[in-house]
Amino acid sequence: MTAGPLVQNIEDLGFVELDQMTPSGIRDEGLICQLISDKVNGSKEFTVSWGRMLSGQHHVKHHHETVAEFYVIVAGTPIIHLGDDDIRARPGDAFYIPPTTVHGITNDTDEVVDLVAGVNSVGQWDFIADE
């Protein structure tokens, strides 16, 4: 049974390369599948995505002036860059990223990293690269 646009699955939607979602000219690595957004199902409150990082991939350090973000690690043990800290994450870890906080992800392992990420915005929001 399907509930139309209110229920989405990564297997049905598929992934796109992260650098297709990042502002032009910034090399960014990883895969992303938007599950809840203004484009996917008309969300006006927030955006939620499933992220996947293959071995050796790096999501560029960046910040948002006006947007808060979160990561929840589902699988893998990436390094989460959060402010001045580099934290070895593990499945089940949740990271709150307030506006203006520099953050990024590095998968320096041989395993696939899966995570859920979200922001308290829809449509386009500011993305300021910090590397």
Side-chain angles (χ1 to χ4, degrees):
M1 171 190 260
T2 179
L6 300 181
V7 177
Q8 301 295 330
N9 186 285
I10 60 172
E11 299 301 326
D12 298 331
L13 295 175
F15 287 95
V16 298
E17 295 286 335
L18 188 55
D19 62 3
Q20 292 179 20
M21 305 291 283
T22 306
S24 176
I26 297 174
R27 187 175 182 321
D28 209 357
E29 300 173 322
L31 303 167
I32 191 162
C33 174
Q34 282 193 348
L35 295 169
I36 301 170
S37 73
D38 57 336
K39 292 179 182 77
V40 174
N41 44 26
S43 173
K44 293 178 179 23
E45 301 82 15
F46 49 84
T47 301
V48 177
S49 300
W50 189 283
R52 180 166 286 162
M53 297 186 72
L54 306 178
S55 179
Q57 289 187 321
H58 173 68
H59 177 36
V60 65
K61 292 180 186 177
H62 65 284
H63 71 278
H64 313 284
E65 288 293 322
T66 60
V67 174
E69 189 168 0
F70 70 84
Y71 298 152
V72 177
I73 306 303
V74 176
T77 56
I79 295 174
I80 304 297
H81 310 287
L82 189 61
D84 293 330
D85 296 322
D86 292 334
I87 302 162
R88 177 67 66 186
R90 58 193 176 116
D93 284 348
F95 295 85
Y96 168 60
I97 306 158
T100 75
T101 302
V102 175
H103 58 286
I105 307 171
T106 301
N107 183 5
D108 63 343
T109 73
D110 291 332
E111 56 197 356
V112 171
V113 170
D114 279 321
L115 66 137
V116 175
V119 296
N120 65 330
S121 183
V122 295
Q124 295 287 12
W125 56 84
D126 63 326
F127 181 103
I128 299 126
D130 291 303
E131 60 178 77

